[in-house]
Amino acid sequence: MTAALRARLTRGEAAMADLAEVGGDSATVAGIACASYGIDQPWATWARPVTPPDDLTPVADWLAGHGGPWSVKVSAADTAAPAYRGLSEWLVLPVYALADPVGAAPVPGLSIGAPRDPVEFLAVYGAQLAPLATARHLASPRYRFLVGRIDGEPVGCALAQRAGDTAYVSAVTVRPEYRRRGIGAALSVAATVAATGLTDGPVWLHAEDGPARIYRRLGYQRVDTHVVLTPR
């Protein structure tokens, strides 16, 4: 995969920090996209430099001003940049881009569609993540929220969102008692199809080793590595 694709995905990730459309807390600080979801986790108050800055101080001040843990997400190749000297690796996220789409086997009784409301989506995704799935999110053309149902009950969820001139797949979650039935793969395919409807550009996602096996089967290829850095 080309450096141009990696740079395009980096710009797409930075675009996801713009939360103005959904009334979220975001800003561009010294040319760097920053956002806070109001969740007490390092990944939830974050910045995404497209290239390493000369000075991260203004960004760190904005992030730290939210009073909780925070992080800076960078490409693995940039982690040694001087601006990140006061940060350490918290999480490594392999990056996969869609190459040759493959369908998933049908799951008996499973239907996949838009959630009735945020509550239905969060019943699977987790109520603690409510700032990521508000009524404004569901109404926005930038997002495609999906719920998988069996006998009318939500058993899984997924999300596709426009990210600059790319589209990003995330939030693929299946209730524990319904796992190992192919529901995660079916939701991943549905989210991928939704993502292709949001952009003519690349469709991509982050996946750690376990889920990555599913995405490789569905036609995704590893193209980069992103690293989440937190203060030492």
Side-chain angles (χ1 to χ4, degrees), residues 103-224:
V107 178
L110 178 69
S111 63
I112 298 174
R116 290 185 287 270
D117 52 34
V119 172
E120 186 182 33
F121 186 85
L122 293 166
V124 178
Y125 196 38
Q128 71 277 14
L129 300 174
L132 305 179
T134 67
R136 289 185 68 168
H137 284 88
L138 268 63
S140 169
R142 175 176 161 185
Y143 301 90
R144 296 288 185 272
F145 288 83
L146 298 171
V147 167
R149 303 179 184 90
I150 291 179
D151 295 329
E153 291 296 316
V155 299
C157 66
L159 170 63
Q161 65 176 292
R162 189 169 61 248
D165 65 352
T166 75
Y168 181 70
V169 171
S170 65
V172 178
T173 307
V174 178
R175 284 168 50 183
E177 63 269 34
Y178 287 93
R179 291 174 187 167
R180 300 188 180 278
R181 301 189 191 185
I183 294 172
L187 283 162
S188 297
V189 169
T192 297
V193 171
T196 61
L198 294 171
T199 182
D200 293 327
V203 172
W204 63 287
L205 50 81
H206 292 113
E208 297 180 87
D209 288 345
R213 292 193 295 270
I214 295 173
Y215 293 116
R216 286 193 293 267
R217 291 201 303 268
L218 298 179
Y220 285 84
Q221 294 181 358
R222 186 166 180 176
V223 296
D224 203 358

Side-chain angles (χ1 to χ4, degrees), residues 52-138:
D54 294 329
D55 183 8
L56 194 67
T57 303
V59 171
D61 288 346
W62 188 93
L63 297 169
H66 287 75
W70 56 270
S71 64
V72 178
K73 192 178 291 183
V74 304
S75 297
D78 293 336
T79 55
Y84 307 138
R85 203 166 284 148
L87 306 176
S88 59
E89 180 182 296
W90 182 68
L91 185 64
V92 175
L93 295 169
V95 181
Y96 288 79
L98 184 65
D100 299 303
V102 177
V107 178
L110 178 69
S111 63
I112 298 174
R116 290 185 287 270
D117 52 34
V119 172
E120 186 182 33
F121 186 85
L122 293 166
V124 178
Y125 196 38
Q128 71 277 14
L129 300 174
L132 305 179
T134 67
R136 289 185 68 168
H137 284 88
L138 268 63

